[in-house]
Amino acid sequence: MKAGFYQFNPEFGEKDRNLQKVLETLTRATFDLIVLPEFFATGYQFTTKDEVAELSETIMDGKTVKALSDLSNEKSCYIVAGLPERDKDLFYNSAVLTGPQGYIGTYRKTHLFFEEKLFFQPGDTGFKVWDTNIGCIGIMICFDWFFPEAMRTLALKGAEIIAHPANLVLPYCPQSMPVRCLENRVFAITSNRIGIENRKSGELLKYIGQSQITGHDGQILVRASEDEEAFSIIEIEIEKARDKQLNKYNNLFTDRRPDMYNLS
Ligand code: ACM
């Protein structure tokens, strides 16, 4: 399958403009799966709950999900994209999956980072995997990567490729994803943003770029630059994620000893 990411610099609050830019780029391209950054159309650094209320959307009626669903349908492709979700008077840092039939599902970020805790609810969906025509797709969002249980849970649920919308500001993720992928034998697409947001005095956020596609064997298949826009699509042999056998004697899943792990 052809899969990749779109790394760019969303302008805060310019939802229509950011969305239009993405739609134009995706319309011209050929791919089976594309992953967009966390909060790709709104920007990230919210300063008030009113801003969150104004820029968030319900999944079923919002224009962002509708536009992505329509594009997925027209191009017969899958898209994973991050957005602020409104559900009655609660807000979530969410990502949607759309496909050839339109909207498929939503994941709500489990591990909120920094000031997200001021505005968003911790996700309540759990880690979800969708069995699609192109393979089993699991989603986690940005800081979720810091918790090995997130990707392990997705892998144990059958994910073969992890779609990872991100707005990374800490430097550790690009060098850490190879281990996450190796220990689970899954592919991952981290779609990060670039640029700076400085909407709150003393709290400049500099996004690290370096969107990355990581192989089931820990190889870095593609890494984008720290500060330039990048649209990257590569061929992925997703079936390689299905075999968890490391050698004649070791299987990454059946060798696990949950009775020896104290995880609670
Ligand atoms: C992050 O979770 N946006 C760093």
Side-chain angles (χ1 to χ4, degrees):
M1 68 143 123
K2 286 187 188 312
F5 57 77
Y6 186 22
Q7 164 174 303
F8 66 106
N9 185 4
E11 264 182 78
F12 189 91
E14 298 296 333
K15 191 155 91 172
D16 288 344
R17 204 180 319 160
N18 295 326
L19 181 59
Q20 201 50 41
K21 176 184 168 76
V22 166
L23 294 178
E24 279 167 21
T25 302
L26 300 194
T27 299
R28 287 196 300 266
T30 303
F31 57 87
D32 299 300
L33 168 66
I34 201 86
V35 184
L36 299 173
E38 180 180 16
F39 292 165
F40 82 96
T42 57
Y44 177 81
Q45 196 180 30
F46 292 97
T47 60
T48 64
K49 209 140 195 176
D50 284 348
E51 282 179 351
V52 178
E54 192 189 320
L55 290 168
S56 58
E57 299 180 12
T58 61
I59 297 296
M60 290 309 171
D61 302 323
K63 66 163 96 160
T64 305
V65 178
K66 166 105 179 51
L68 297 175
S69 300
D70 289 350
L71 189 73
S72 275
N73 179 256
E74 277 159 35
K75 293 183 71 76
S76 205
C77 66
Y78 292 84
I79 302 173
V80 174
L83 77 163
E85 178 197 351
R86 176 162 46 82
D87 183 7
K88 303 192 185 74
D89 55 351
L90 298 178
F91 303 100
Y92 296 91
N93 181 339
S94 297
V96 290
L97 171 66
T98 61
Q101 265 74 51
Y103 169 76
I104 296 176
T106 302
Y107 164 68
R108 291 172 170 167
K109 186 176 185 176
T110 303
H111 305 98
L112 298 177
F113 181 71
F114 196 52
E115 291 184 341
E116 290 170 32
K117 293 195 175 190
L118 304 180
F119 305 120
F120 298 97
Q121 299 294 119
D124 56 1
T125 54
F127 294 99
K128 294 169 80 170
V129 174
W130 290 270
D131 191 2
T132 76
N133 289 339
I134 58 168
C136 290
I137 302 171
I139 301 180
M140 64 181 189
I141 300 176
C142 204
F143 190 50
D144 280 332
W145 82 264
F146 228 104
F147 301 83
E149 296 88 347
M151 206 143 143
R152 178 64 104 200
T153 303
L154 289 169
L156 289 173
K157 285 186 166 184
E160 294 155 356
I161 188 160
I162 310 296
H164 184 208
N167 274 191
L168 295 160
V169 291
L170 300 177
Y172 315 113
C173 182
Q175 79 224 36
S176 304
M177 288 305 276
V179 177
R180 289 282 175 284
C181 289
L182 181 67
E183 66 200 6
N184 291 294
R185 281 238 171 170
V186 295
F187 292 84
I189 302 177
T190 299
S191 183
N192 195 29
R193 62 165 290 172
I194 51 171
I196 287 170
E197 284 183 321
N198 194 10
R199 307 188 64 251
K200 253 181 124 168
S201 71
E203 282 182 23
L204 180 144
L205 295 180
K206 184 172 187 326
Y207 301 99
I208 68 162
Q210 301 173 77
S211 293
Q212 181 167 299
I213 306 178
T214 314
H216 71 300
D217 54 359
Q219 299 267 358
I220 295 169
L221 303 175
V222 182
R223 182 183 284 176
S225 84
E226 291 173 21
D227 52 11
E228 279 167 41
E229 187 166 319
F231 183 71
S232 185
I233 293 169
I234 63 165
E235 187 68 37
I236 286 180
E237 294 175 275
I238 196 165
E239 58 285 350
K240 292 197 167 157
R242 288 177 198 143
D243 180 9
K244 306 298 181 188
Q245 202 69 33
L246 200 56
N247 58 45
K248 199 169 151 196
Y249 297 101
N250 294 112
N251 182 293
L252 292 178
F253 281 7
T254 57
D255 275 5
R256 295 177 64 251
R257 301 280 309 276
D259 51 324
M260 293 287 165
Y261 311 147
N262 188 350
L263 289 174
S264 53

